[in-house]
Amino acid sequence: MAVADETADVIEIRFDCLSPAEFDPPGELPHEVLEKILSATRKPILTTFRTKDQGGTRDLAAEERINFWSTGYETDLCDLEEDVVEDSWYWIWGERICSFHDFSGVPDDVDAVYDRLSKTGVGILKIAVRADDITDAIPVWKLLDKAEKEGKRMIPIAMGEPGKWTRILGIAHGAYLTYASLDSGNETAPGQVTADDLINVYRAKELDKNTEVYGIIAGNTSYSMSPYIHNAAFKAAGMNRVFVPMQVADIDAFMRRMVKPETREIELNFHGFAVTNPHKQAVIEYLDEIDATAQKIGAVNTIKIADGRLYGYNTDAAGFIEPLKQRFPDLKGIKAAMCGAGGAARACIYALKQNGADVTLFVRDTAKAAGLANEFGIEARDLPSKDAGSPFADFDILVNATPLGTKGEDESKTIAFAEQLGGIKLVYDLIYNPTETLLIREARKAGVPVIGGLEMLIEQAEQQYRIWTGNSGAGSVMKAAALKRLQQQ
Ligand code: NAP
């Protein structure tokens, strides 16, 4: 309560989270317990007492719920489900929310649900559904317009990571309120953002319909650093812009129904996107133009939207090469061993070759990498085993573009150990979480200079920022935001 008191405008108390033993008789909370809870804050309280199939924490008998509400928990707001709302006229005089939850998906006719809730006569309507893909949120989001036209107050929520944007942009588009968790890991519904992030990272209370919306299009946005980096830069520059996670499974549906001006069903004022796995190539067919670099790499990681047209760019190549050129201003003839043959490797190979370096691929599956190798006219070799002596003796630079070393199950893995780095003049690890990977530690042990993935991450983000805003100089703000976020994880 003390933490919520510092950040929230309204504090929701989920009374169904209390143990059944607190209630005596069932559903009735002793007066002194209630007093103790309520006296912990002067902020308005939203009371909720929800049974399990409506998203509560335990099964509640009908009698328990009737006991609870009829005892007269007269707080500022009461959240009631449809089945108790009719009787609540006798018990509750304060402001009420009539809520509907669907944790399994989106009902076929969300409009009919809205009409039903609307007929109860309750002043605020809440509809929360589960989104499995980003476009699942469209029907519930459209209700905001309907509610505005009918003079109703509305809380539309698409639960889950693909619906996170509804929580961040809701207030800007007229939602009555948005829910946030106190801490990461303590969310009361899927996809909830922490109150700290909602207020200080996304600035949800400062946004409006004119806010320019940017986002990261990714198959999984939950680990993305981009919202932290770009929102910090927009905030520092005092821009009315926000950067939102856009978790997309079906890129065609997303581009058609939410982005392309000719076909989109809702208006979010999109101005640009960062794009990452697995959409960097698939997104190209939806763009009006792509620049020469992105064309040659065959992948787009940045989109700018101007006058209804979509322009594609690739900032990975420049993001990779700039930090390297600070150490090796002339890369001509330099021999680079590139480990990994995915999307990142593709951009790195392009940049190295552009600068005159010789590149050799090291991969776990040479047949799979043959296409990339042929495209760039380079050789693909097997990644060396643990006991190979000095497998990179003929090379100057070793680049890791595999996930080996990433926080989690790959953290204790490396493409090479200290004793295998003979001949190498620089190790460049694309991994940025953790900032000190096992490979970086091994390189230090061998006395080999290193570049960590954070430098590339920030450099490519700075280039994105330049494309979107025309400005530069956001690097230090971005780096500080990234380091802060990495410490939280
Ligand atoms: P990707 O497209 O999935 O490619 C990953 C590559 O690594 C593939 O060639 C894959 O081989 C190989 N690989 C995966 N697991 C492996 C293992 N256990 N042993 C050996 N090789 C393995 O990913 P990406 O987009 O290229 O990204 C690669 C890494 O770079 C990621 O960890 C990402 O975080 C990092 N990255 C950093 C930045 C930055 O700004 N610092 C930017 C982009 C990417 P298969 O094809 O055989 O699976």
Side-chain angles (χ1 to χ4, degrees):
M1 289 291 280
V3 179
D5 195 67
E6 279 172 23
T7 46
D9 298 313
V10 177
I11 301 176
E12 180 186 38
I13 302 182
R14 287 279 303 272
F15 283 94
D16 52 274
C17 294
L18 290 178
S19 133
E22 299 273 9
F23 298 87
D24 183 26
E28 276 185 44
L29 206 56
H31 197 72
E32 57 278 14
V33 178
L34 184 68
E35 274 306 301
K36 195 174 160 201
I37 295 171
L38 299 187
S39 64
T41 180
R42 292 174 126 184
K43 292 277 171 75
I45 298 284
L46 161 58
T47 301
T48 305
F49 191 62
R50 192 173 286 149
T51 190
K52 202 164 188 174
D53 58 354
Q54 290 158 335
T57 47
R58 63 186 174 95
D59 289 325
L60 298 169
E63 187 197 352
E64 251 180 298
R65 293 173 72 218
I66 290 167
N67 277 353
F68 179 83
W69 290 115
S70 61
T71 316
Y73 292 110
E74 202 61 31
T75 55
D76 305 85
L77 280 162
C78 296
D79 184 331
L80 299 137
E81 297 71 36
E82 275 179 281
D83 61 331
V84 286
V85 85
E86 196 174 326
D87 287 337
S88 73
W89 290 114
Y90 304 111
W91 317 318
I92 294 165
W93 303 100
E95 189 75 272
R96 292 171 308 154
I97 296 173
C98 184
S99 65
F100 170 89
H101 296 84
D102 190 337
F103 287 85
S104 65
V106 186
D108 285 341
D109 195 350
V110 175
D111 275 63
V113 175
Y114 171 94
D115 291 339
R116 240 173 36 226
L117 300 195
S118 189
K119 276 192 195 125
T120 62
V122 167
I124 305 160
L125 314 181
K126 173 188 173 191
I127 298 185
V129 297
R130 194 190 80 192
D132 292 324
D133 198 359
I134 191 160
T135 48
D136 293 346
I138 294 174
V140 77
W141 184 257
K142 280 182 175 171
L143 295 175
L144 265 179
D145 273 346
K146 185 167 171 163
E148 192 182 346
K149 281 186 197 117
E150 295 178 3
K152 295 245 155 50
R153 288 168 291 174
M154 168 83 204
I155 310 166
I157 295 170
M159 295 181 285
E161 186 71 22
K164 210 171 222 172
W165 63 273
T166 62
R167 300 179 181 277
I168 296 166
L169 301 178
I171 299 176
H173 286 255
Y176 179 68
L177 55 77
T178 190
Y179 294 81
S181 66
L182 283 184
D183 301 303
S184 167
N186 276 333
E187 297 82 5
T188 51
Q192 240 175 38
V193 183
T194 65
D196 187 37
D197 279 1
L198 201 62
I199 295 166
N200 298 315
V201 175
Y202 296 105
R203 295 180 288 152
K205 292 201 285 184
E206 297 164 40
L207 311 179
D208 54 38
K209 282 186 181 168
N210 296 320
T211 301
E212 291 186 11
V213 177
Y214 296 78
I216 170 111
I217 303 175
N220 181 359
T221 47
S222 48
Y223 300 104
S224 178
M225 299 289 289
S226 299
Y228 296 89
I229 292 172
H230 285 298
N231 281 315
F234 290 157
K235 183 178 178 178
M239 292 172 172
N240 188 12
R241 305 184 189 206
V242 67
F243 189 98
V244 179
M246 298 273 156
Q247 183 161 306
V248 174
D250 181 344
I251 188 76
D252 178 68
F254 174 66
M255 296 304 287
R256 263 189 310 106
R257 300 184 61 196
M258 292 179 69
V259 181
K260 294 289 277 180
E262 316 84 74
T263 51
R264 66 184 171 221
E265 298 167 33
I266 53 176
E267 180 49 77
L268 294 176
N269 202 21
F270 283 135
H271 275 66
F273 298 107
V275 187
T276 190
N277 283 345
H279 303 304
K280 283 183 182 178
Q281 288 173 298
V283 81
I284 291 176
E285 69 173 278
Y286 303 94
L287 308 181
D288 297 297
E289 276 178 46
I290 72 169
D291 82 341
T293 306
Q295 201 139 23
K296 283 185 198 133
I297 298 170
V300 159
N301 82 328
T302 308
I303 297 171
K304 176 180 175 166
I305 305 176
D307 301 324
R309 289 177 68 76
L310 278 68
Y311 301 87
Y313 307 85
N314 190 307
T315 67
D316 283 335
F320 166 77
I321 211 76
E322 290 306 324
L324 186 55
K325 280 168 81 175
Q326 283 165 20
R327 276 78 159 188
F328 280 84
D330 185 7
L331 286 162
K332 217 178 207 136
I334 289 283
K335 290 191 160 44
M338 173 67 54
C339 300
R346 175 175 277 276
C348 299
I349 297 166
Y350 167 81
L352 284 164
K353 293 210 60 161
Q354 275 291 101
N355 283 273
D358 287 335
V359 186
T360 302
L361 270 181
F362 284 85
V363 290
R364 61 178 173 184
D365 183 345
T366 49
K368 196 172 168 192
L372 182 70
N374 289 339
E375 203 178 307
F376 285 98
I378 57 178
E379 189 194 341
R381 297 186 195 166
D382 286 319
L383 267 172
S385 64
K386 254 185 186 171
D387 33 55
S390 295
F392 305 111
D394 296 338
F395 293 89
D396 302 301
I397 297 171
L398 177 64
V399 183
N400 176 37
T402 76
L404 298 186
T406 308
K407 194 165 190 157
E409 59 183 29
D410 284 335
E411 195 165 353
S412 60
K413 297 176 187 160
T414 175
I415 51 160
F417 291 93
E419 51 281 12
Q420 296 180 300
L421 294 174
I424 290 291
K425 299 188 183 75
L426 181 116
V427 164
Y428 195 155
D429 195 345
L430 264 54
I431 305 302
Y432 51 80
N433 189 12
T435 46
E436 288 281 312
T437 59
L438 179 54
L439 175 62
I440 297 272
R441 294 200 303 274
E442 290 295 313
R444 288 196 204 285
K445 217 191 279 175
V448 177
V450 295
I451 304 179
L454 194 60
E455 285 195 48
M456 172 175 172
L457 182 74
I458 299 304
E459 182 63 39
Q460 64 81 28
E462 261 198 279
Q463 304 238 359
Q464 293 179 318
Y465 183 79
R466 208 169 298 143
I467 288 169
W468 294 329
T469 66
N471 301 341
S472 46
S476 53
V477 168
M478 289 177 163
K479 188 172 177 188
L483 287 171
K484 184 177 169 198
R485 178 63 186 158
L486 286 168
Q487 272 165 8
Q488 289 169 344
Q489 289 180 331

